[in-house]
Each structure stands twice: as C-alpha cells, then as structure tokens.
Amino acid sequence: MRGDTLYAIAWRFGIERNDLVRWNGITNPDRILVGQRLALVPPETGAPAMRNAGPVVVAADARDSPRSTPVRSARVPRRTTAGVAAARPVAARTSADDGDDSLARGPWRWPVRGELLRRYDADGPGRKGIEIGAGLGQTVSAAQGGEVVYSGSGLPGYGRLIIIKHSESMLSAYGFLGKILLNEGDKVRAGQAIGEVGTSSENRPALHFEIRQNGRPVDPLRYLPG
C-alpha cells in the first residue's frame, strides 16, 4: 500500500516492529525500500497464527514514517456503557513477568476523563482497546512518557491517530482525535497534551485508546488507575 512503513505494517498485523526488522535482516530500520518484500513470520520456523499470511510488498513512497498508511478497517462493536470511575481496574503489575521495564517508570494515566463507553474484548473484532466518551475538543494527554512514532490519519478505523512508543515493547494509541498537536519523532511527557477529542466512528465525541505489548493488544484497564 502507498506509504507503507514498518510501524504501520506491524500495527496492522499485530506484531512487533523489531521482529520485522530481525526477521527480514533490515540493517537500517529507519528506511524501507519500494518493492521490498517483508516476511511476517520468523523465516526459520514461522508462527502458527500467521502461517498462511503471505509477505508484504512495500508500496511506493514507503519510509519508516507512519503517515498515510491504510490498513483494514476495524468493525464497530455494539455499545456498552460503564462509568470510568466505576471500572476499578487492577493496578499495573511491575514484576519481571510483564517482560517490560516501562511499567517501573511510573503509573499510567487516563488520557482523558469521561464515560467508559466500550471495554476491551480480546475476542471481539474491533474491541482491542477502550472507548472513552468526552467533550468535543477536550484535551487528550499522553498516558505515559515516550516518543511519537505515528501521527496521521492513514489508518482506517482510527481517524486521526497518535501512537506513542514507551519502550521497546510498549505502545499506546489515541484514535478519533479531532486535532493532533504532535508530530512523529516528538518526545512527550506523561500527562502532556497530544491532541483533542474528535468524533468516533459512531458519530459521538469519544477517544479510542489502546495499549499494545510486544505488538499485541492488552486490556488498558489493567494499567490505568481506578
């Protein structure tokens, strides 16, 4: 697809960008070439879940800058409603079992305060994050410090989107933004404004929020404070 990038391809297929680099022997992860074929599984064995997936061919204007990168649209699930204050998720774990050091840097923050309209469901198409209802134009903040690795509107199903890298294995994403305040490569502090609430795919003011670990979605309510 036009504008394909490593971060966008990894996000689309639910795998880790660093795995793409390793599996394909990419020496410069900041740039990929037009027409380059990228394997989506380890070349020596292949991952069972992706065994039938063919290689990706990088399209024209490709570079490792996540702009204008189309992906498959997420299906809109049925609405569920719950108050954010009543969610009471468990505290974020900080043991070595999580396999990531970002959790030890400080607590996660809610990116915006509002009504919890939709919860995470690992088995539900299009429910790989949560949806928080808030006022149109309300400030959206970084849930944790890091670096912006995606800033644009090229991912169908997300609207205007920012993705922040917190460590080698942790990313967070903020979709349906009405306004984006940061660009790719910008460093961001926890709680710093990154955008404004826009209109979701269901035509209501809301923020779609995801956390991914090692390329795979996890329940944000495990990490956000109650």
Side-chain angles (χ1 to χ4, degrees):
M1 296 181 183
R2 183 180 179 87
D4 271 341
T5 68
L6 289 182
Y7 270 111
I9 292 170
W11 190 268
R12 186 193 318 165
F13 291 100
I15 54 181
E16 178 63 49
R17 174 179 176 266
N18 290 341
D19 287 338
L20 279 179
V21 172
R22 187 174 66 257
W23 297 341
N24 291 277
I26 297 174
T27 57
N28 182 4
D30 291 329
R31 184 169 296 275
I32 50 180
L33 304 177
V34 174
Q36 184 175 352
R37 295 169 66 87
L38 298 177
L40 302 178
V41 296
E44 62 277 7
T45 57
M50 298 289 290
R51 191 168 289 152
N52 295 325
V56 169
V57 179
V58 180
D61 293 342
R63 58 190 178 87
D64 196 23
S65 171
R67 298 182 185 276
S68 303
T69 307
V71 297
R72 292 173 299 198
S73 299
R75 287 173 50 193
V76 178
R78 292 178 300 173
R79 173 176 179 174
T80 57
T81 303
V84 169
R88 299 190 183 280
V90 298
R93 294 180 297 173
T94 57
S95 70
D97 292 340
D98 282 30
D100 186 83
D101 61 359
S102 71
L103 299 181
R105 298 177 188 170
W108 289 79
R109 306 178 181 211
W110 284 89
V112 69
R113 284 290 176 177
E115 182 183 9
L116 185 61
L117 301 177
R118 182 179 300 138
R119 291 176 178 268
Y120 170 88
D121 182 355
D123 299 320
R127 303 187 67 169
K128 304 309 180 185
I130 61 175
E131 186 171 310
I132 308 169
L136 192 65
Q138 188 172 335
T139 298
V140 176
S141 303
Q144 200 178 73
E147 178 184 352
V148 176
V149 295
Y150 189 109
S151 178
S153 56
L155 296 171
Y158 288 94
R160 291 187 180 92
L161 174 70
I162 279 183
I163 299 176
I164 298 176
K165 176 184 176 181
H166 305 291
S167 74
E168 287 304 311
S169 62
M170 296 292 281
L171 301 171
S172 63
Y174 312 74
F176 302 134
L177 296 173
K179 184 177 182 179
I180 289 176
L181 302 179
L182 297 177
N183 298 314
E184 173 202 342
D186 286 346
K187 303 295 183 182
V188 59
R189 303 180 309 276
Q192 179 180 338
I194 62 173
E196 297 177 357
V197 172
T199 303
S200 75
S201 58
E202 294 185 348
N203 198 31
R204 60 189 177 191
L207 174 73
H208 176 83
F209 179 67
E210 289 188 27
I211 296 177
R212 293 199 181 189
Q213 184 175 18
N214 296 316
R216 297 186 178 278
V218 295
D219 186 355
L221 297 184
R222 291 178 51 208
Y223 302 97
L224 297 173

